[in-house]
Amino acid sequence: MTSVDAPSRGQAGGTDPADQWVLNPDTGDYELRLNGAPGRPTVPRPRGASGTGPAAPASAPGQVPGQRGHRAAPAPLAAPGTDGTRDPGRHGRPRQGKRGARRKALMWTGGALGLVLVGGSVFAYYWYDRLNGNIDTVDIGDVGSDKVLADGPVNILVIGNDVRTGEGNEAYGNRDNVTGHADTTLLFHVAGDRSNATVVSIPRDLMTRIPDCETRQPDGSAEVVPGSKGTTRFNESYGVNGRDPGCTMRTVEELAGVEVDHFMMFDFNAVKTLSTAVGGVEVCLEKPLRDLEGGTKLDLPAGRSTIEGEEALSFLRNRHGLKNESDLDRIGMQQKFVASMIRQLKEDTLDSPPKMLDVADAATKSLTVDKGIGSASKLLTLARELTRIDLKNITLMTLPVVDNPAEPTPVTVVPDPVKAPQVFAMLRDDVSFTEVKKKEKDARDRQAALLEGPRAEASAVRVDVRNGGGPAGAAQETLVWLRTSEGVARSANRGNAPAKVDRTLLEYAPEQADQARTLADLMGLPASALKPGGEDSDAAQPMRLTLGPDFRKAGVPVAAPKKVDVGQSRADEKTCGE
């Protein structure tokens, strides 16, 4: 917790000098810790009239009650004596000399320091209150997680909402649509050791299945929005039939086979305000980009330009003059813009507190998040985690796709049947797309060691196969392949698992470790798929293989590849290649 001086400190009838207002990072609220002692009761900070966040201390010296955002002014100083030069002393006798001068100096020094501390406290209250009041949250039920600083990978879905409401957005389409759709969507994967990150753009026109989705209504009740019949455009995962951002998260989880922990949703206005707050974003064009007759009214020269506000939004929405004038071409431009903004934030803005506050204010005004990160303190914690990653280790790419074979004249796309699963597998297994030296972790080393040791003969492997989220018929297909192609005759199909699993899992008794390694070699299982039981495990029973969504086909390795041949860029790449 972060503490600040309590109001009325040291005043008669006021708060005890040891008391402190303490920021609780879990709630984002200030609480009064009595007498400053650990374990003492805390009193929630009285909230301001708006009820949206912590208010400034009502009795902060020099501050008008109810007024926020102003630094405290010093209280009028009483005259030390009739002529301003003498101290009456304890018994009214004049006291002069070095001792009196030292006391005056201490008074002035202490008063100035107190003024700075109190003023800083009021300033902090004001900004936390303001940022918390800016943030909109959505209750997405049981989808997502509470991960913010927890160990392990974190996946954040960044949704660009194409709602047209707001000043100056008439040129981009129908303003009557007050909900919008999932237009520009980025899956932001942060590595478990924070050494790297991967940003995968998901095309709005990707044909995919949207699952049933439970949404929370204003009265607190739950309502299930039916999923799509067959496949439909990805952008319909939000805004259609009452689908909320949790529905988009569920769609990505089913598509990619990864758990999405949080979402952040921005609207058109966020691009305008953020690009302005950072002082403009640099872009580089191979040839001039002009769309004077179209809706964007762009007129940018070849080479380097710095854009902000309405011009930045026009740049991101534009398709005119691009290679195929398609959404995929536009995604490439958006990725370069995002990378340039990340560089601007890290290399310039983070070292300037005034700019940082402007950026935070601009971002939170146009931001909607899940309740798991729905406070200024939690977003700040998350931002600090992301700033630890070197720009050269942040990879940006578009999900590999191919033209939709079901359309005579393709307009939509579908996941590339080979490369898309490879990308998702690397995300699931937390494999870096950059040549980064991973930090060593004892837990990871112990898991990898499970694949080290003797192997049993294939004929000695006994395993029951279940389907816990793989393709239909996966258990039977695997059984036939093991028996006929790999010599694992002592295998059986046990149908569907009691519950779905996040990924393929092989459970076995310690005495069956040699069999587990053999099966892992045959199926290309990663070390993370192995789960040895305890000493009470029954080695007389066959091992249990549960096929998850990462299983694609018998004979195809389940483990993620070390790299995949897809177009990529890095956040540290300069806009004009210098």
Side-chain angles (χ1 to χ4, degrees):
M1 292 188 178
T2 303
S3 63
V4 293
D5 293 342
S8 304
R9 180 163 290 187
Q11 298 178 9
T15 306
D16 186 282
D19 293 347
Q20 290 181 315
W21 286 108
V22 179
L23 176 63
N24 186 330
D26 293 329
T27 64
D29 291 335
Y30 285 90
E31 301 171 353
L32 180 59
R33 173 167 293 172
L34 304 180
N35 294 327
R40 291 296 300 272
T42 58
V43 182
R45 172 80 185 120
R47 302 178 78 85
S50 65
T52 59
S59 56
Q63 186 184 12
V64 179
Q67 188 177 31
R68 298 182 302 177
H70 298 281
R71 291 187 179 276
L77 296 176
T82 55
D83 60 357
T85 61
R86 304 175 68 182
D87 183 353
R90 188 170 49 180
H91 300 292
R93 294 192 300 270
R95 184 176 297 164
Q96 299 178 358
K98 294 183 179 179
R99 185 176 181 184
R102 283 197 300 268
R103 295 186 66 178
K104 286 184 181 180
L106 288 173
M107 285 175 59
W108 280 104
T109 303
L113 181 59
L115 176 62
V116 170
L117 290 176
V118 173
S121 299
V122 173
F123 187 69
Y125 280 134
Y126 168 74
W127 274 104
Y128 267 100
D129 186 22
R130 177 166 175 167
L131 296 180
N132 277 323
N134 288 346
I135 301 169
D136 290 327
T137 61
V138 173
D139 184 354
I140 53 175
D142 60 356
V143 67
S145 74
D146 295 327
K147 287 183 183 177
V148 178
L149 267 178
D151 289 337
V154 176
N155 294 305
I156 304 167
L157 198 64
V158 181
I159 304 170
N161 183 356
D162 66 356
V163 63
R164 266 66 169 176
T165 56
E167 184 68 26
N169 294 332
E170 301 91 342
Y172 301 103
N174 181 13
R175 290 192 65 187
D176 295 332
N177 180 4
V178 296
T179 303
H181 303 95
D183 187 55
T184 298
T185 304
L186 309 173
L187 178 58
F188 200 136
H189 172 83
V190 184
D193 64 5
R194 307 299 185 258
S195 67
N196 65 93
T198 304
V199 182
V200 180
S201 295
I202 302 176
R204 65 187 301 278
D205 294 328
L206 178 77
M207 296 298 288
T208 189
R209 197 186 83 85
I210 299 175
D212 293 347
C213 176
E214 184 178 278
T215 61
R216 292 291 186 271
Q217 303 305 302
D219 62 0
S221 63
E223 180 177 315
V224 176
V225 179
S228 61
K229 295 180 180 179
T231 60
T232 189
R233 278 181 167 88
F234 175 82
N235 71 332
E236 295 184 11
S237 62
Y238 172 74
V240 175
N241 299 328
R243 294 184 180 118
D244 64 12
C247 300
T248 307
M249 292 171 67
R250 294 178 193 272
T251 301
V252 172
E253 288 184 338
E254 183 168 298
L255 172 68
V258 300
E259 180 183 19
V260 180
D261 300 294
H262 302 290
F263 84 86
M264 297 180 179
M265 185 164 67
F266 295 90
D267 58 22
F268 279 9
N269 295 316
V271 177
K272 300 179 186 179
T273 56
L274 269 175
S275 59
T276 300
V278 299
V281 178
E282 186 178 88
V283 296
C284 186
L285 299 175
E286 294 181 359
K287 58 182 181 179
L289 185 58
R290 293 188 174 93
D291 185 25
L292 301 180
E293 303 300 325
T296 63
K297 302 296 187 292
L298 272 177
D299 187 8
L300 295 175
R304 186 184 292 107
S305 297
T306 299
I307 57 177
E308 63 179 76
E310 190 68 45
E311 191 173 40
L313 178 59
S314 297
F315 178 82
L316 293 180
R317 296 295 304 162
N318 176 71
R319 298 188 191 190
H320 181 75
L322 304 183
K323 182 178 180 181
N324 297 310
E325 298 195 354
S326 69
D327 183 53
L328 295 179
D329 293 329
R330 185 169 64 179
I331 286 176
M333 293 180 61
Q334 291 170 347
Q335 287 178 353
K336 293 177 181 178
F337 181 91
V338 169
S340 185
M341 180 178 282
I342 291 174
R343 287 194 302 273
Q344 179 78 0
L345 283 168
K346 192 159 186 176
E347 296 173 357
D348 177 61
T349 308
L350 292 179
D351 293 331
S352 171
K355 281 189 179 181
M356 199 63 231
L357 288 174
D358 286 345
V359 169
D361 192 36
T364 52
K365 280 180 179 176
S366 304
L367 178 66
T368 302
V369 300
D370 59 280
K371 290 189 173 182
I373 52 175
S375 71
S377 60
K378 290 181 179 178
L379 287 173
L380 179 60
T381 297
L382 184 59
R384 285 172 176 166
E385 283 289 283
L386 298 181
T387 57
R388 293 166 52 188
I389 304 173
D390 195 308
L391 291 176
K392 67 181 181 182
N393 293 329
I394 299 178
T395 304
L396 299 97
M397 68 178 68
T398 302
L399 177 68
V401 296
V402 295
D403 288 340
N404 186 356
E407 296 174 340
T409 302
V411 175
T412 61
V413 294
V414 297
D416 185 300
V418 176
K419 295 181 180 180
Q422 291 177 336
V423 169
F424 290 143
M426 291 180 70
L427 296 181
R428 283 193 299 268
D429 281 4
D430 199 22
V431 178
S432 174
F433 284 82
T434 63
E435 297 296 331
V436 59
K437 183 178 180 181
K438 306 285 283 186
K439 298 178 182 178
E440 293 183 358
K441 290 183 179 291
D442 291 341
R444 180 174 296 173
D445 291 343
R446 287 196 299 270
Q447 190 69 26
L450 295 177
L451 290 175
E452 299 175 1
R455 267 71 173 159
E457 294 293 332
S459 58
V461 173
R462 296 181 302 121
V463 61
D464 289 341
V465 184
R466 294 179 172 86
N467 192 347
Q476 181 62 27
E477 178 191 359
T478 300
L479 176 69
V480 172
W481 175 77
L482 286 173
R483 286 183 170 181
T484 60
S485 300
E486 305 302 323
V488 184
R490 304 172 69 180
S491 52
N493 176 6
R494 299 302 181 187
N496 290 330
K500 289 188 176 182
V501 294
D502 294 331
R503 59 179 59 192
T504 298
L505 184 67
L506 177 60
E507 301 171 278
Y508 58 93
E511 296 88 343
Q512 297 170 318
D514 57 344
Q515 297 181 43
R517 295 186 193 104
T518 298
L519 190 62
D521 292 344
L522 295 175
M523 298 192 62
L525 298 178
S528 58
L530 274 60
K531 184 179 179 180
E535 295 179 356
D536 57 346
S537 302
D538 188 359
Q541 298 297 319
M543 298 186 297
R544 295 182 300 277
L545 174 65
T546 306
L547 304 176
D550 54 346
F551 176 86
R552 298 183 298 281
K553 183 179 180 181
V556 176
V558 175
K562 297 302 179 184
K563 58 183 179 179
V564 59
D565 182 19
V566 296
Q568 305 171 29
S569 61
R570 303 284 182 267
D572 67 330
E573 294 175 1
K574 299 300 182 181
T575 53
C576 286
E578 72 275 13

